[in-house]
Amino acid sequence: MASSSSAARGSDSAHVPMRAPQIEIEEVKESTIRFVLSGTDMSVANALRRTMIAETPCLAIDDVEIEDNTSPLHDEFLAHRLGLIPLRFTDPEADITSVFAMDDPDAEDVDEVLLVLDVHNDASPKRIVTSRDLEVIPLADHHTMVEVAHAASMEEAAELAAIGAPEDGAGGPEADAESAIAIVKLGPWQRVRLRAHAKLGWGKIHARFIPVCTAIMNYDYEVDINSAAMERLGAEDRRAFVEACEPGLFEFVHDGETVRVADVTRMANHMEVERLASTMSATDAPLVRVTRRPGRFRFEVETTGALSAVQVVRGALGALIGKLDSIRQAVAAAAGTGVGVVDEDDDVAGGGAAFASAEAGGAAYGGMGH
Amino acid sequence: MNAPERIETVRVPPGVPRVRMRLDEKMNNAATFECMREDHTLGHLVRMECLRDPDVRFCGYQIEHPLKHDVMIKVQTTKRSTPATAVEHACERLAGEYRAMARSFQFALERAGEAGGMEER
């Protein structure tokens, strides 16, 4: 790399062009969203995906005080199951981190939401304890924004209720367990009584704080069918190719012979499609050509119910912006003092001195970057 | 039990700065930034963004050990810049990029809402 070609230029970042990423939403529901992120780099898109999984804060039960447990499951088992029950943050506009304080063992007053569960099976042969038995006890105003999520969305709840409901519509314990999250089954005279404390946490701490069950990122593929190569195949082989690829990726047009692309988003393994396209071709030319549209990434997010899909994307973007801002300030502070001690009074300008002394005693440029 | 505390993966120990800078003793304009309690999310992001800067001659990141939750970002720049400036500007551009993304997302949501069929809780 030439080092003196544009020495007159300042060392600000103005000469590095900013990218203008765009989001196009394809489908958004309460607990799922599909969108295309374009005009950016893979690292930026992947950071968004990773942040949605590991660093988007959400609530989960963190501490359980068991008061009575004669159920078949031991205390730790119960606590683990309780932790994985999504707790929905119901305010669609508010930022969860501005409402709840982050879990910090050093904090004097940890913001916890209290939940209680007390089920005693009076002699019936079986009682299924579900998330419906878990009750939020609001100790502060903002605790009313929290509810136990029995399903990822209203839609899913309705579907589950329909599965669980018997023909005569009588309901019963089995139907309840179907439309909520089963925790434990109690036999006659068994009892579970406990107090649980929910806190705000990150997926990095434990899986119970992960608000998504799916956060997939993929390239935006383009598939071109080589109709000449496809013509050379018999109807049998053509059908075999379509069936060998992911279901729904290719289809036959109404004449039943011509292959066309049905839904590119069905492609999960482009290498397999490419392999089939060359091995199953009767000629040297592959049957289809798969290309990636540069700088475009397809996202598919599905939440557990703790947050809505929109809240997850917003939360992840907010977390990333906050992280980058705090790192920038921390780097400025570290450079200001030269040794990394955080000192508010020192600004970036002080870093010049540290570098100057390093330059004076340092060797010539090494081979890096050449 | 001797399992490390889970919270240690995210909590910067009290009194420890979020980022420590160590100047390279054998090279000019080179430094390593030790970012406490960060991972590939930040490391790769900053690395790729720094490399877009023509004044950055080298940028790489490393997580020293699977049990350490810190990331080291190594940067060497030309004389026109300093490693700290390069990293700061990279973070600034990235934050700006995510802000633009958030605006675009909001805009797309509003359009999806107008098109109907969108219910937001």
Side-chain angles (χ1 to χ4, degrees):
Chain A
M1 188 194 283
S3 55
S4 58
S5 56
S6 50
R9 208 170 45 196
S11 65
D12 62 325
S13 70
H15 55 281
V16 182
M18 279 271 292
R19 285 178 295 230
Q22 294 280 319
I23 288 180
E24 299 148 51
I25 297 176
E26 293 186 334
E27 187 191 41
V28 56
K29 287 186 186 167
E30 188 187 334
S31 67
T32 58
I33 187 167
R34 283 193 296 119
F35 63 88
V36 176
L37 174 63
S38 58
T40 191
D41 188 65
M42 162 79 102
S43 60
V44 173
N46 194 41
L48 175 63
R49 182 193 64 84
R50 284 176 60 94
T51 307
M52 287 195 285
I53 298 169
E55 290 172 62
T56 303
C58 73
L59 289 162
I61 290 174
D62 189 67
D63 252 340
V64 182
E65 297 165 47
I66 311 257
E67 285 161 13
D68 193 1
N69 175 21
T70 49
S71 79
L73 301 186
H74 57 72
D75 296 359
E76 287 82 356
F77 202 150
L78 269 185
H80 177 248
R81 291 188 65 76
L82 287 164
L84 295 174
I85 293 172
L87 301 178
R88 179 172 289 139
F89 179 64
T90 53
D91 191 326
E93 296 304 323
D95 174 15
I96 196 165
T97 52
S98 63
V99 177
F100 287 92
M102 203 63 202
D103 178 20
D104 181 357
D106 296 333
E108 304 231 319
D109 191 18
V110 181
D111 195 2
E112 292 180 334
V113 182
L114 176 68
L115 295 101
V116 294
L117 185 145
D118 184 3
V119 180
H120 187 205
N121 185 8
D122 300 318
S124 70
K126 185 168 79 179
R127 167 73 158 88
I128 303 174
V129 182
T130 70
S131 51
R132 285 187 205 287
D133 297 307
L134 198 59
E135 196 189 338
V136 177
I137 308 291
L139 299 177
D141 279 350
H142 61 281
H143 291 183
T144 53
M145 291 182 197
V146 182
E147 64 183 32
V148 179
H150 310 296
S153 62
M154 304 289 271
E155 210 180 332
E156 196 191 272
E159 273 171 39
L160 292 175
I163 298 167
E167 300 281 301
D168 57 8
E174 298 289 346
D176 266 2
E178 228 23 275
S179 64
I181 302 164
I183 299 168
V184 62
K185 289 180 186 175
L186 297 184
W189 313 114
Q190 290 183 343
R191 186 181 195 186
V192 176
R193 191 174 131 95
L194 53 86
R195 288 157 67 85
H197 304 274
K199 285 182 202 162
L200 198 62
W202 283 355
K204 267 176 143 184
I205 300 169
H206 191 269
R208 64 178 177 265
F209 296 117
I210 299 178
V212 292
C213 8
T214 312
I216 301 174
M217 181 186 91
N218 205 346
Y219 296 102
D220 193 15
Y221 290 108
E222 228 166 2
V223 180
D224 294 310
I225 293 177
N226 183 346
S227 41
M230 207 58 101
E231 290 287 305
R232 299 281 296 276
L233 281 189
E236 254 336 63
D237 291 341
R238 234 177 278 173
R239 191 159 295 281
F241 172 71
V242 170
E243 277 167 15
C245 294
E246 278 95 348
L249 177 55
F250 298 108
E251 65 181 5
F252 289 97
V253 292
H254 43 266
D255 65 2
E257 299 218 329
T258 318
V259 178
R260 72 169 168 208
V261 179
D263 184 1
V264 192
T265 63
R266 291 301 188 95
M267 181 142 58
N269 187 349
H270 72 99
M271 302 224 306
E272 180 66 5
V273 173
E274 282 172 328
R275 190 186 65 81
L276 291 168
S278 26
T279 54
M280 295 178 84
S281 177
T283 62
D284 284 342
L287 295 169
V288 298
R289 204 164 59 95
V290 181
T291 44
R292 293 168 182 169
R293 299 174 71 178
R296 282 176 68 90
F297 306 95
R298 208 168 261 289
F299 280 79
E300 226 178 291
V301 181
E302 202 180 322
T303 76
T304 58
L307 297 174
S308 73
V310 170
Q311 282 173 326
V312 167
V313 179
R314 274 200 199 124
L317 288 170
L320 271 165
I321 292 167
K323 179 203 285 274
L324 287 162
D325 283 345
S326 82
I327 290 291
R328 181 176 55 77
Q329 285 163 7
V331 167
T337 54
V339 289
V341 178
V342 182
D343 188 338
E344 298 297 333
D345 295 328
D346 276 325
D347 58 5
V348 201
F355 278 103
S357 63
E359 218 152 28
Y365 276 148
M368 285 203 300
H370 283 279
Chain B
M1 295 301 192
N2 57 3
E5 284 286 330
R6 301 277 196 156
I7 191 80
E8 294 307 321
T9 56
V10 291
R11 189 184 52 147
V12 178
V16 176
R18 186 91 196 272
V19 174
R20 265 192 289 231
M21 184 178 83
R22 219 171 307 136
L23 292 175
D24 198 306
E25 288 166 8
K26 296 180 181 169
M27 253 180 289
N28 282 331
N29 266 354
T32 305
F33 297 88
E34 189 180 1
C35 304
M36 306 300 284
R37 305 304 182 250
E38 290 296 343
D39 59 12
H40 298 278
T41 307
L42 183 87
H44 189 233
L45 195 57
V46 169
R47 181 184 97 98
M48 294 309 278
E49 189 58 32
C50 276
L51 290 175
R52 291 178 68 219
D53 187 340
D55 285 337
V56 172
R57 311 173 107 223
F58 175 87
C59 185
Y61 83 96
Q62 165 185 51
I63 290 171
E64 281 196 312
H65 188 273
L67 289 178
K68 279 190 80 179
H69 307 292
D70 311 324
V71 61
M72 315 278 270
I73 303 174
K74 205 172 189 122
V75 187
Q76 188 192 23
T77 65
T78 63
K79 280 182 192 160
R80 284 190 305 273
S81 186
T82 63
T85 316
V87 173
E88 274 174 57
H89 285 159
C91 288
E92 206 173 312
R93 289 196 300 273
L94 285 167
E97 194 165 337
Y98 281 113
R99 283 195 178 94
M101 208 183 282
R103 280 194 298 274
S104 174
F105 182 65
Q106 194 54 38
F107 182 65
L109 271 182
E110 280 158 22
R111 276 208 309 201
E114 280 163 25
M118 204 212 84
E119 39 178 322
E120 193 191 323
R121 269 188 74 100

